[in-house]
């Protein structure tokens, strides 16, 4: 696919595959992937001022306040690498975030990956992430070649502390209350693409690529 410009938002519940599909697009198409979750986790790991502010919120499965999240994305979207294209993985997550984004960038589409809650629990409790490069694995659906070692960089795989069952339930609640209304918000603007996120990742990616073209400027 030859794309001039592709400014996308990835919606969908935790575990829908937003990170997996956006990393595939970043690798195969060169579109920068921006994950607010990754940015917050890096800040926590590095114990920056931001990290100290958001640590307890992430651990509890709540949402970081809009002001803070919006400021981070506004700054990131001012970098030259995202002038033509980006995929926002996990932002916006609330209506005020979406409204703020509209004031400083114009996304072509919001892609909603639909996955039922029971499949989400299976996906998240099996998720393993590379500490070094952020690659995403699954104990059952995408195991690494060598146990606990990243295929790509040899880094150590770990289980995110918010992927425990109790925290997943809190995150799903936050999703249904705060994030799901964004589906109607983008549908109302004629910018919603709904994709079935339940088949294997290659199938989801292929469907995404074959459907997204109609939202992009020629
Ligand atoms: P997942 O895709 O599994 O839900 P993420 O890595 O996107 O997880 O996000 C991890 C956590 O980071 C969220 O549970 C939330 O605490 C915080 N977070 C990420 N993005 C946002 C956002 N746009 N607004 C508020 N909090 C966010
Ligand atoms: P999100 O970013 O939406 O929270 P991830 O991309 O991190 O979701 O995926 C959550 C877990 O589910 C990971 O362990 C990933 O390997 C696995 N996964 C993602 N997409 C699929 C898929 N289409 N089929 C099976 N497992 C998947
Ligand atoms: Zn790695």
């Amino acid at each position: 696919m030859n794309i001039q410009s592709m400014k996308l938002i990835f919606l969908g519940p935790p575990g829908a595959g937003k990170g997996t599909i956006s990393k595939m697009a970043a690798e195969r198409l060169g579109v920068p992937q921006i994950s607010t979750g990754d940015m917050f986790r890096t800040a926590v790991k590095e114990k920056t001022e931001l990290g100290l502010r958001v640590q307890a919120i992430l651990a509890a499965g709540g949402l970081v306040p809009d002001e803070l999240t919006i400021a981070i994305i506004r700054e990131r979207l001012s970098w030259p690498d995202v002038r033509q294209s980006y995929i926002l993985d996990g932002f916006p997550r609330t209506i005020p975030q979406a409204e703020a984004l509209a004031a400083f960038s114009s996304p072509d589409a919001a892609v909603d990956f639909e996955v039922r809650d029971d499949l989400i629990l299976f996906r998240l409790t099996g998720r393993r992430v590379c500490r070094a490069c952020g690659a995403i694995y699954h104990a059952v659906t995408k195991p690494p070649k060598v146990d606990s070692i990243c295929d790509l960089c040899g880094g150590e795989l770990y289980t995110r502390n918010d992927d425990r069952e109790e925290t997943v339930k809190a995150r799903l609640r936050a999703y249904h209350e705060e994030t799901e209304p964004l589906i109607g918000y983008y549908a109302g603007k004629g910018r919603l693409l709904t994709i079935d996120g339940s088949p294997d990742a290659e199938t989801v990616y292929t469907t995404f690529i074959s459907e997204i073209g109609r939202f992009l400027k020629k």
Side-chain angles (χ1 to χ4, degrees):
M1 189 156 84
N2 193 4
I3 40 137
Q4 296 294 324
S5 166
M6 177 194 260
K7 295 185 173 172
L8 303 181
I9 291 161
F10 275 14
L11 288 177
K18 303 180 297 296
T20 298
I21 303 299
S22 58
K23 283 178 200 292
M24 288 166 83
E27 230 168 74
R28 298 178 189 190
L29 306 173
V31 180
Q33 175 231 10
I34 300 177
S35 158
T36 38
D38 285 348
M39 290 161 101
F40 291 137
R41 277 185 296 278
T42 302
V44 169
K45 190 170 87 182
E46 292 175 353
K47 299 189 164 62
T48 63
E49 202 184 314
L50 172 69
L52 297 175
R53 281 185 70 180
V54 304
Q55 184 163 23
I57 300 171
L58 264 67
L63 290 182
V64 173
D66 286 336
E67 274 172 42
L68 205 54
T69 311
I70 291 163
I72 287 166
I73 285 291
R74 188 200 299 272
E75 196 279 327
R76 181 63 184 86
L77 288 184
S78 72
W79 297 16
D81 65 319
V82 291
R83 282 235 304 270
Q84 301 292 338
S85 296
Y86 57 69
I87 294 176
L88 298 182
D89 164 13
F91 181 93
R93 253 176 161 95
T94 65
I95 295 280
Q97 289 180 16
E99 287 172 344
L101 175 66
F104 55 83
S105 191
S106 305
D108 299 303
V111 186
D112 178 37
F113 295 92
E114 283 188 327
V115 175
R116 291 187 328 273
D117 284 6
D118 55 341
L119 185 54
I120 284 167
L121 198 62
F122 164 78
R123 285 199 181 167
L124 292 183
T125 51
R127 174 158 62 183
R128 305 286 181 270
V129 182
C130 175
R131 244 185 237 293
C133 77
I136 304 165
Y137 296 85
H138 189 279
V140 177
T141 66
K142 194 180 191 289
K145 293 197 181 78
V146 181
D147 197 35
S148 297
I149 303 287
C150 178
D151 294 350
L152 301 178
C153 79
E156 177 208 1
L157 304 189
Y158 78 109
T159 298
R160 278 170 47 177
N161 74 348
D162 61 346
D163 279 345
R164 282 170 297 119
E165 191 165 338
E166 321 81 76
T167 322
V168 168
K169 292 203 168 124
R171 288 160 62 206
L172 275 174
R173 257 196 315 278
Y175 169 76
H176 289 301
E177 283 169 18
E178 304 269 3
T179 309
E180 218 167 17
L182 292 177
I183 295 172
Y185 176 89
Y186 286 110
K189 294 179 181 295
R191 297 207 175 269
L192 183 74
L193 171 59
T194 305
I195 301 275
D196 178 6
S198 46
D200 65 278
E202 278 301 332
T203 302
V204 174
Y205 182 80
T206 305
T207 309
F208 156 63
I209 291 298
S210 64
E211 304 263 329
I212 196 61
R214 64 190 152 98
F215 290 90
L216 306 177
K217 296 169 208 83
K218 288 288 168 333

